[in-house]
């Protein structure tokens, strides 16, 4: 588990900030009063509506507007820190503690996408329970006195399966996603209206005493709009007007949409957004996705973004005129069940976020950013007071200062006795060298690639390159399962004598090919999703091939084997001959060529198509599909190649163990379990073990390779 920040260090940081605030008051800046006024409605929590927030308002109702400088909460400009938490990527039991950690870390706002395929798994059938209980989540956010930024989309991307689109959507005749297409626009409008109506009914908008202060329509559409030509432009304008017509009473945003209409705030998504400006002077500068980490793919490295660089990017954003910044992600969480996007994105969505996948604070990132947020809040009175641009001072070839104050500041002399509200940011954008700069009658040492924050234009409260938070310490129990070696990936190694894991594993073989009564036969290769309708990632294809004695003699004389070729597969294809695994291929629409061993007479050829997350990003998503494309051919026969594409194929959706829920404790009778023989790991076998025998919990997985 994460080590807590040590008392001496924590005490020093708190004392330093307290002393700085006292200095500001002595200087006559009245920062505390100004900050309390600016915070305004945020802490005016009227009451908690029970555990999930029933009865009464959370806030005194307030309006949300904006000007060129900032979002206005109850008529007052705010410098807002937002942080991403996707409610389905955590369990409802985790939500309260996560939200509390967001608040403790200095967040004012929690941001989340709304996931269409989770809320409408079948056309017209809505689901708002368990991990998809959006109303409960919103009320828990409000109960902590935090605001909510709701990114309805309904296209999310988010490394979420199919970008959040329900798979049934692609079956609507004539549909084309995210363009000027009437069937798509009708479904999109129905869903967005459903969400907005639900939020109104639950009184979750700010003017109703709820937490929602911002909404998003579409998502990064500007990245792909050009693929659709003028139809894309018309669609974008339609989406904006449709959203505005829902009369939500709060602002809408579009991220990465440089041609967003005047009524919609265009925003930035990137690793750095300090140079971003919206497409109109009348709009504030908002950073909807500050990528403080990145997602991971199967077989890839786990991305890492240093806390110092993340803090530098955020400080520069507020230094250069930003007003609302959102961490994507502050807590990434887990892609439960089949929600991971694709191709080949892993089930963890940890994202190197300040709070890790398990809800543990990731130090020093969480603590360093918390200190940054405290320093920014100390600057808020000065930041919101500037109507135009801050004072800009060139301090060196790669050093500069931005000064925010209620009046002109003479930066050559001391600030002692100055009654103005004044805050400054000193930046050194040299990545390698320290710099010494002179301003306010003092010398300041700036580390490479750093920003120093001076809430009173004199004392440094925070520097992005100087970490005062403790590093996390993690330990791994000796009883944890591990792979024995890279050279023997098929052998499961168990550490004996561990307190939590027994040395006995049990196995159950998965049936190859057809296993249930709902299989069917048809001529030809069918598209994967058209058959499975997204109820499983697995689809079996089985046919029979007759081999003559002449073929066997031909292979023997040539010393070769025949091969099965498939023009294109995605994401995983496995080839079985007479019930035995012959080979596999992994990739996104790549070809497969697999030598196979056939015998004289009838041979059963079985193909398994596996999806590892549907495509979640890009244009023309509805056309991507899954499974096999092109020809399926048996090559190397004595009389030439045989085209199997239009043969009679038997189809079976899913794995037997999957549909029997062999992994559930209450379903143990659905499979015959036998003791695993030592060093006998076999493909397509389910494995279980007792994990903490006093409780009787089990761990299970299927070995596919």
């Amino acid at each position: 588990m994460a080590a807590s920040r040590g008392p001496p260090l924590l005490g020093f940081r708190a004392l330093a900030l307290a002393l700085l605030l006292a200095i500001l008051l002595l200087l006559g800046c009245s920062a505390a009063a100004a900050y309390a006024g600016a915070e305004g409605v945020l802490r005016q929590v009227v009451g908690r509506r029970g555990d999930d927030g029933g009865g009464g308002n959370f806030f005194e109702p307030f309006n949300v507007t904006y000007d060129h400088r900032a979002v206005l909460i109850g008529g007052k400009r705010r410098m807002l820190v937002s942080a991403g938490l996707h409610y389905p990527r955590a369990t409802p039991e985790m939500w309260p503690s996560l939200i509390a950690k967001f608040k403790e870390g200095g967040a004012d706002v929690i941001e989340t996408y709304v996931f269409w395929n989770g809320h409408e798994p079948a056309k017209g059938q809505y689901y708002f329970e368990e991990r998809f209980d959006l109303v409960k989540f919103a009320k828990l956010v409000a109960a902590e006195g935090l605001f909510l930024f709701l990114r309805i989309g309904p296209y999310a991307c988010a490394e979420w399966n199919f970008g959040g689109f329900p798979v049934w959507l692609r079956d609507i005749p004539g549909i084309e996603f995210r363009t000027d297409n009437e069937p798509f626009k009708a479904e999109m409008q129905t869903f967005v209206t459903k969400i907005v109506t639900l939020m109104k009914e639950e009184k979750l908008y700010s003017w109703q005493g709820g937490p929602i202060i911002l909404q998003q329509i579409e998502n990064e559409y500007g990245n792909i709009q050009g693929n659709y030509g003028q139809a894309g432009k018309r669609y974008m304008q339609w989406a904006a007007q449709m959203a505005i017509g829902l009369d939500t009473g709060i602002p809408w945003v579009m991220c990465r949409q440089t041609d967003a209409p005047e009524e919609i705030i265009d925003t930035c998504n990137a690793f750095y957004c300090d140079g971003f400006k919206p497409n109109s002077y009348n709009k504030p500068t908002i950073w909807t996705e500050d990528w403080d980490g990145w997602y991971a793919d199967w077989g890839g490295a786990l991305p890492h973004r240093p806390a110092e660089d993340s803090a530098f990017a955020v400080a520069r954003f507020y230094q250069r005129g930003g007003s609302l910044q959102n961490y994507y992600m502050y807590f990434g969480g887990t892609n439960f069940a089949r929600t991971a996007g694709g191709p080949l994105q892993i089930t963890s969505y940890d994202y190197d976020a300040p709070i890790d996948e398990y809800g543990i604070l990731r130090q020093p990132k969480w603590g360093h950013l918390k200190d940054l947020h405290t320093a920014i809040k100390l600057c808020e009175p000065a930041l919101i007071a500037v109507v135009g641009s801050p004072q800009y001072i060139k301090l060196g070839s790669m050093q500069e200062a931005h000064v925010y104050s209620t009046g002109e500041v003479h930066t050559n002399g001391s600030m002692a006795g100055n009654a103005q509200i004044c805050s400054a940011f000193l930046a050194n954008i040299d990545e390698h060298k320290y710099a010494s700069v002179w301003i306010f009658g003092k010398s300041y040492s700036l580390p490479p690639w750093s920003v120093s924050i001076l809430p009173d234009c004199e004392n440094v409260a925070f520097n992005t390159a100087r970490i005062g938070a403790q590093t996390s310490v993690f330990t791994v129990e000796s009883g944890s399962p591990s792979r024995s070696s890279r050279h023997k990936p098929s052998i499961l190694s168990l550490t004996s004598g561990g307190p939590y894991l027994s040395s006995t594993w049990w196995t159950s073989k998965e049936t190859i090919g057809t296993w249930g009564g709902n299989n069917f036969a048809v001529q030809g290769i069918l598209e994967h999703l058209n058959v499975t309708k997204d109820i499983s990632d697995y689809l079996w294809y089985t046919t029979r091939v007759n081999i003559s004695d002449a073929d066997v003699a031909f292979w023997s004389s040539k010393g070769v084997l025949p091969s099965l070729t498939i023009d294109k597969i995605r994401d995983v294809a496995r080839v079985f001959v007479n019930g035995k695994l012959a080979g596999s291929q992994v990739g996104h629409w790549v070809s497969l060529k697999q030598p196979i061993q056939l015998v004289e007479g009838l041979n059963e050829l079985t193909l398994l198509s596996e999806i590892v997350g549907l495509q979640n990003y890009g244009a023309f998503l509805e056309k991507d599909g899954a499974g096999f494309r092109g020809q399926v051919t048996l090559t190397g026969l004595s009389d030439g190649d045989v085209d199997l594409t239009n043969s009679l194929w038997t189809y079976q959706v899913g794995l037997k163990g999957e549909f029997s829920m062999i992994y559930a404790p209450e379903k143990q009778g659905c499979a015959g379990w036998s003791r695993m023989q030592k060093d006998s790991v076999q493909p397509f076998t389910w494995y279980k073990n007792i994990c903490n025998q006093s409780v009787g919990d089990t761990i299970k997985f299927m070995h596919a390779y």
Side-chain angles (χ1 to χ4, degrees):
M1 60 186 294
S4 61
R5 300 174 67 192
L9 181 58
L10 179 60
F12 174 77
R13 299 294 293 179
L15 178 60
L17 291 171
L19 287 173
L20 178 58
L21 183 57
I23 292 169
L24 291 172
L25 289 171
L26 288 173
L27 291 173
C29 293
S30 62
Y35 176 52
E39 191 168 49
V41 181
L42 177 57
R43 303 305 179 196
Q44 294 178 14
V45 181
V46 176
R48 296 170 183 259
R49 308 182 192 177
D51 291 340
D52 63 350
N57 290 345
F58 290 107
F59 303 96
E60 294 288 356
F62 61 98
N63 291 325
V64 180
T65 56
Y66 59 87
D67 63 15
H68 69 283
R69 182 66 186 99
V71 172
L72 277 63
I73 304 294
K76 297 180 179 178
R77 290 179 182 160
R78 290 296 314 276
M79 294 291 111
L80 295 170
V81 174
S82 177
L85 193 174
H86 297 157
Y87 52 98
R89 282 177 159 141
T91 64
E93 293 78 10
M94 295 174 70
W95 292 346
S97 64
L98 288 171
I99 294 167
K101 289 171 183 175
F102 276 53
K103 181 178 180 179
E104 184 185 357
D108 307 302
V109 185
I110 287 181
E111 167 270 336
T112 187
Y113 279 118
V114 176
F115 296 92
W116 189 353
N117 54 9
H119 290 300
E120 194 178 2
K123 182 175 169 57
Q125 298 178 19
Y126 296 102
Y127 183 75
F128 291 93
E129 304 297 328
E130 299 179 324
R131 290 185 297 108
F132 291 92
D133 192 342
L134 174 58
V135 170
K136 178 177 181 178
F137 177 76
K139 291 179 178 180
L140 287 170
V141 170
E144 281 288 356
L146 299 179
F147 298 144
L148 185 62
F149 176 12
L150 203 61
R151 301 174 72 185
I152 299 176
Y155 167 70
C157 183
E159 291 72 59
W160 187 268
N161 199 39
F162 215 26
F165 287 135
V167 170
W168 58 259
L169 198 64
R170 68 195 292 274
D171 295 332
I172 294 175
I175 199 164
E176 292 181 71
F177 294 0
R178 304 177 75 193
T179 188
D180 188 16
N181 173 269
E182 293 304 322
F184 177 76
K185 292 192 297 183
E187 295 297 335
M188 174 175 167
Q189 183 166 3
T190 297
F191 180 74
V192 173
T193 302
K194 173 73 176 180
I195 297 299
V196 167
T197 301
L198 179 62
M199 297 300 100
K200 287 181 179 179
E201 289 173 348
E202 295 291 336
K203 301 186 185 306
L204 292 172
Y205 284 105
S206 64
W207 47 272
Q208 299 175 300
I212 303 175
I213 64 167
L214 285 175
Q215 293 169 127
Q216 179 175 298
I217 193 70
E218 252 299 337
N219 184 49
E220 294 188 339
Y221 188 65
N223 290 1
I224 66 164
Q225 181 173 307
N227 292 280
Y228 298 98
Q230 287 302 308
K233 180 75 170 180
R234 292 194 301 271
Y235 163 73
M236 181 275 296
Q237 293 171 337
W238 168 85
Q241 295 308 314
M242 181 269 289
I244 293 168
L246 293 173
D247 193 26
T248 61
I250 63 171
W252 287 90
V253 307
M254 282 182 161
C255 59
R256 288 200 165 185
Q257 194 67 51
T258 57
D259 58 349
E262 183 65 25
E263 306 92 329
I264 304 284
I265 305 170
D266 58 306
T267 66
C268 184
N269 291 1
F271 286 106
Y272 306 94
C273 281
D274 54 288
F276 170 79
K277 293 299 177 186
N279 64 10
S280 169
Y281 175 78
N282 299 319
K283 303 176 184 181
T285 301
I286 294 177
W287 189 358
T288 36
E289 289 189 17
D290 170 6
W291 302 329
D292 55 1
W294 203 247
Y295 62 87
D297 294 325
W298 287 109
L302 296 178
H304 171 65
R305 186 178 189 185
E308 300 94 323
D309 185 61
S310 217
F312 173 84
V314 174
R316 286 286 282 171
F317 177 71
Y318 289 100
Q319 175 181 0
R320 300 183 66 189
S323 62
L324 186 155
Q325 169 268 345
N326 175 67
Y327 292 103
Y328 192 98
M329 299 295 297
Y330 200 73
F331 164 82
T334 303
N335 294 310
F336 293 103
R338 299 170 52 243
T339 58
L344 300 170
Q345 286 154 7
I346 69 173
T347 52
S348 170
Y349 202 62
D350 184 85
Y351 222 85
D352 194 40
I355 301 175
D356 77 7
E357 181 179 4
Y358 307 102
I360 300 170
L361 303 183
R362 174 173 277 118
Q363 300 287 21
K365 185 174 279 190
W366 183 87
H368 192 51
L369 294 175
K370 177 184 178 182
D371 291 345
L372 168 65
H373 304 152
T374 302
I376 290 170
K377 291 303 177 185
L378 289 172
C379 298
E380 186 170 23
L383 290 171
I384 65 174
V386 174
V387 176
S389 299
Q391 286 180 247
Y392 174 79
I393 302 95
K394 187 72 171 174
L395 300 174
S397 61
M398 303 185 76
Q399 295 77 38
E400 60 187 17
H402 290 74
V403 179
Y404 291 83
S405 67
T406 51
E408 187 72 18
V409 173
H410 299 290
T411 57
N412 292 328
S414 171
M415 292 297 295
N418 194 325
Q420 293 180 155
I421 296 176
C422 183
S423 295
F425 295 78
L426 313 182
N428 178 13
I429 60 175
D430 190 313
E431 297 183 41
H432 307 289
K433 297 178 181 178
Y434 274 79
S436 181
V437 300
W438 183 268
I439 191 173
F440 306 128
K442 295 176 64 175
S443 177
Y444 296 87
S445 177
L446 306 181
W449 199 248
S450 75
V451 176
S452 287
I453 301 177
L454 289 63
D456 61 350
C457 287
E458 185 173 5
N459 298 284
V460 177
F462 180 86
N463 179 274
T464 60
R466 295 185 174 121
I467 292 181
Q470 186 172 330
T471 301
S472 297
V473 178
F474 292 91
T475 60
V476 179
E477 296 292 346
S478 61
S480 299
S482 61
R483 289 288 185 179
S484 61
S485 124
R486 290 173 59 90
H487 303 290
K488 296 181 179 180
S490 63
I491 305 302
L492 186 69
S493 173
L494 302 176
T495 304
S496 61
Y500 302 111
L501 196 62
S502 78
S503 59
T504 303
W505 285 80
W506 297 78
T507 67
S508 178
K509 288 289 292 180
E510 175 65 30
T511 302
I512 305 301
T514 55
W515 52 263
N518 59 344
N519 63 77
F520 64 93
V522 68
Q523 300 284 144
I525 296 293
L526 301 180
E527 198 272 340
H528 183 122
L529 290 174
N530 287 340
V531 179
T532 65
K533 300 302 180 185
D534 199 37
I535 65 170
S536 173
D537 289 322
Y538 300 91
L539 179 61
W540 298 94
Y541 302 66
T542 301
T543 193
R544 287 184 170 85
V545 179
N546 192 34
I547 296 300
S548 67
D549 56 353
D551 291 322
V552 174
F554 176 74
W555 298 327
S556 178
S557 66
K558 298 292 186 180
V560 298
L561 291 175
S563 290
L564 180 78
T565 65
I566 303 176
D567 288 348
K568 299 290 181 183
I569 68 100
R570 74 148 298 191
D571 298 316
V572 181
R574 306 195 190 281
V575 180
F576 298 83
V577 178
N578 299 321
K580 294 183 179 180
L581 180 65
S584 306
Q585 178 65 287
V586 178
H588 188 76
W589 298 125
V590 297
S591 61
L592 175 148
K593 184 173 184 179
Q594 177 62 51
I596 55 177
Q597 201 147 21
L598 300 170
V599 297
E600 184 178 345
L602 277 179
N603 291 259
E604 188 170 81
L605 175 65
T606 299
L607 309 177
L608 176 62
S609 169
E610 301 178 28
I611 299 173
V612 189
L614 292 175
Q615 188 78 22
N616 58 257
Y617 177 77
F620 313 114
L621 285 178
E622 74 280 3
K623 295 178 172 60
D624 191 49
F628 309 138
R629 284 181 180 170
Q631 303 297 111
V632 179
T633 308
L634 187 60
T635 64
L637 277 69
S638 58
D639 292 334
D641 299 343
V642 175
D643 186 353
L644 300 177
T645 310
N646 295 313
S647 296
L648 182 68
W649 292 87
T650 299
Y651 290 84
Q652 176 76 62
V653 175
L655 304 174
K656 183 178 181 180
E658 174 190 20
F659 279 80
S660 301
M661 297 178 67
I662 194 174
Y663 48 82
E666 66 274 15
K667 299 286 187 177
Q668 291 304 290
C670 296
W673 294 97
S674 57
R675 286 182 181 270
M676 173 182 151
Q677 300 301 310
K678 184 178 180 182
D679 294 342
S680 179
V681 174
Q682 297 296 324
F684 279 79
T685 301
W686 293 87
Y687 293 83
K688 75 171 181 177
N689 203 324
I690 305 300
C691 178
N692 189 343
Q693 297 179 13
S694 63
V695 180
D697 293 335
T698 60
I699 59 174
K700 308 176 187 69
F701 63 92
M702 190 182 79
H703 182 63
Y705 289 89

